[in-house]
Amino acid sequence: MHAGKKTSFFGVRAANVAAMQRILITGGAGFIGSHLAEALVAAGKVVTVMDDLSTGSRDNLTGLAGQARFRFVEGDVREPAELAGLVQEADFVFHLAAAVGVELVVRQPVHTLDDNVRGTENVLAAASRSSTGVLLASTSEVYGKSVQARFREDDDLLIGPPSFARWGYACSKLLDEFLAMAYWREKRVPVVIARLFNTVGPRQTGRFGMVLPRLVAQAVRRETLTVYGDGQQSRCFCHVHDVVRALVELANRPAAVGQIYNIGGTEEITIAELAQRVNEAAANGAGMKLIPYDEAYGAGFEDMRRRAPDIGKIARLTGWRPTVALAEIVREMVTAECGRFVSVTRPEHRC
Ligand code: UDP
């Protein structure tokens, strides 16, 4: 590694290829990580993806396979030895590896806590040995059951009791944030924390619980859409391309170091209305049915009624705003799913 390189990342625009050359993305075979890897390779970076393929997939990286500036390493962030070597080589780390998806975190609470806390600690410890910059991907789950209309980064957090497994995920990511802040304050590791709200777009799988790919898959198959609870809980969805742009913007800003930023869509919608829009976009006449939470996630589950970000902080720093409207997102996902379903399964099917 040449002198000065480690400190040159912040303050350099992503387009400036020479200044921040080698990027490590943990969890880069996942939905968001793979889009980030593509964007960085396209910007001229040399990108290493480390992923244990627990929820990510090699298929997400097919667009990058064989490219000279791209490398995939199958590995687990909970194993410090291999991780340390990769962090050492990198000029900057996007740490996205984590247990994700509400369904997965309620079914595998031990794995969730272990993966999220130990993995992040290992990344930060390795980064502290080489003063490597780290962007920690956190989550809007940390806001818990807060009732503000729009969540702000300096809000108090209202996390539910340990008897509900979901809150263990929120706590694990919150502990990740505390760890990142501690490594910044005490060991001067330049960290920035991004709290991602509901991110959607191509390649997102519904396997671990995410609502939009699930509803879209159901609508394309002419099934009745499964809406949990009373359907009046609301979310804001943001296209993954907008999210990736925000992550790169934050990584480029010295003023972002030691700070937390919300990244999310601004259009709030109830899940029942979302289901209706999906049905309309797919011309599905099968409607929707309400499914009690206990049936969907097992006994002992709490949802959050509303979740909307205040994105003023990142907008003030970088000018970032989401650009892809929800209607466009739904259309894109329906078209993509339809193409997949028709070509693979049912050539006679009309979407
Ligand atoms: N949900 C739903 N049907 C599904 C999957 C999820 O109604 O098939 C609901 C879920 O209960 C939650 C919302 O959709 O209220 C968003 O769920 P997701 O798991 O995508 O993200 P969350 O915002 O809960 O982390």
Side-chain angles (χ1 to χ4, degrees):
M1 176 204 346
H2 50 270
K5 188 170 242 192
K6 292 291 186 187
T7 51
S8 63
F9 182 90
F10 289 102
V12 177
R13 298 209 57 85
N16 187 340
V17 176
M20 73 160 192
Q21 193 55 14
R22 293 168 307 178
I23 311 295
L24 173 64
I25 307 175
T26 70
F31 156 55
I32 301 173
S34 62
H35 283 279
L36 177 63
E38 283 177 353
L40 292 171
V41 169
K45 311 299 173 214
V46 175
V47 174
T48 299
V49 158
M50 184 193 201
D51 200 300
D52 67 356
L53 300 178
S54 55
T55 55
S57 143
R58 282 178 198 274
D59 290 347
N60 288 339
L61 299 169
T62 45
L64 291 166
Q67 296 214 30
R69 290 198 309 275
F70 175 73
R71 174 172 59 144
F72 173 68
V73 177
E74 187 171 344
D76 188 336
V77 285
R78 287 170 299 179
E79 298 299 330
E82 188 172 27
L83 174 71
L86 295 176
V87 171
Q88 202 73 35
E89 283 171 27
D91 301 319
F92 191 83
V93 181
F94 286 91
H95 176 43
L96 273 62
V100 291
V102 175
E103 201 165 296
L104 181 118
V105 306
V106 300
R107 302 215 191 286
Q108 296 182 31
V110 174
H111 165 80
T112 298
L113 294 167
D114 186 43
D115 206 9
N116 293 354
V117 177
R118 202 136 56 97
T120 297
E121 210 173 353
N122 286 342
V123 168
L124 292 167
S128 75
R129 289 195 281 277
S130 45
S131 296
T132 308
V134 177
L135 181 144
L136 168 70
S138 186
T139 168
S140 57
E141 283 276 321
V142 301
Y143 289 105
K145 299 186 280 186
S146 297
V147 290
Q148 285 93 321
R150 297 212 166 254
F151 296 152
R152 281 171 43 126
E153 293 85 348
D154 53 2
D155 282 344
D156 288 337
L157 307 171
L158 187 61
I159 292 180
S163 42
F164 298 102
R166 175 192 198 135
W167 304 121
Y169 171 66
C171 274
S172 70
K173 294 303 291 185
L174 188 55
L175 186 53
D176 285 355
E177 292 193 10
F178 276 110
L179 279 167
M181 286 301 195
Y183 271 86
W184 161 236
R185 286 200 191 100
E186 197 177 320
K187 299 183 186 288
R188 305 319 282 172
V189 177
V191 295
V192 52
I193 297 169
R195 286 185 182 158
L196 306 186
F197 285 64
N198 297 66
T199 304
V200 289
R203 293 187 209 135
Q204 186 178 35
T205 165
R207 261 190 304 148
F208 310 108
M210 283 74 169
V211 67
L212 195 51
R214 280 189 177 217
L215 297 183
V216 166
Q218 291 165 346
V220 164
R221 285 159 185 75
R222 303 289 174 253
E223 295 166 8
T224 304
L225 272 49
T226 55
V227 171
Y228 299 162
D230 63 4
Q232 295 311 302
Q233 68 275 34
S234 67
R235 297 291 187 271
C236 295
F237 296 90
C238 191
H239 194 282
V240 65
H241 290 162
D242 280 330
V243 169
V244 162
R245 215 164 32 81
L247 295 176
V248 173
E249 284 283 357
L250 289 179
N252 280 329
R253 306 281 169 158
V257 171
Q259 298 289 321
I260 303 173
Y261 294 89
N262 288 337
I263 299 177
T266 48
E267 220 177 318
E268 190 173 350
I269 187 168
T270 66
I271 300 303
E273 200 189 332
L274 179 72
Q276 196 177 329
R277 287 219 208 159
V278 169
N279 272 339
E280 280 163 18
N284 179 32
M288 68 183 88
K289 61 178 174 230
L290 298 181
I291 301 194
Y293 286 118
D294 279 5
E295 215 174 288
Y297 296 114
F301 180 82
E302 270 189 311
D303 203 2
M304 51 241 302
R305 290 302 281 175
R306 296 183 69 175
R307 185 200 271 162
D310 180 326
I311 56 165
K313 190 172 174 185
I314 184 172
R316 281 190 295 280
L317 180 72
T318 69
W320 179 85
R321 293 197 67 79
T323 61
V324 189
L326 182 60
E328 210 176 311
I329 293 172
V330 170
R331 251 195 322 273
E332 181 190 23
M333 289 181 67
V334 166
T335 306
E337 182 62 22
C338 207
R340 240 187 327 270
F341 182 60
V342 171
S343 68
V344 174
T345 333
R346 300 262 303 274
E348 77 288 358
H349 185 87
R350 290 279 164 275
C351 285

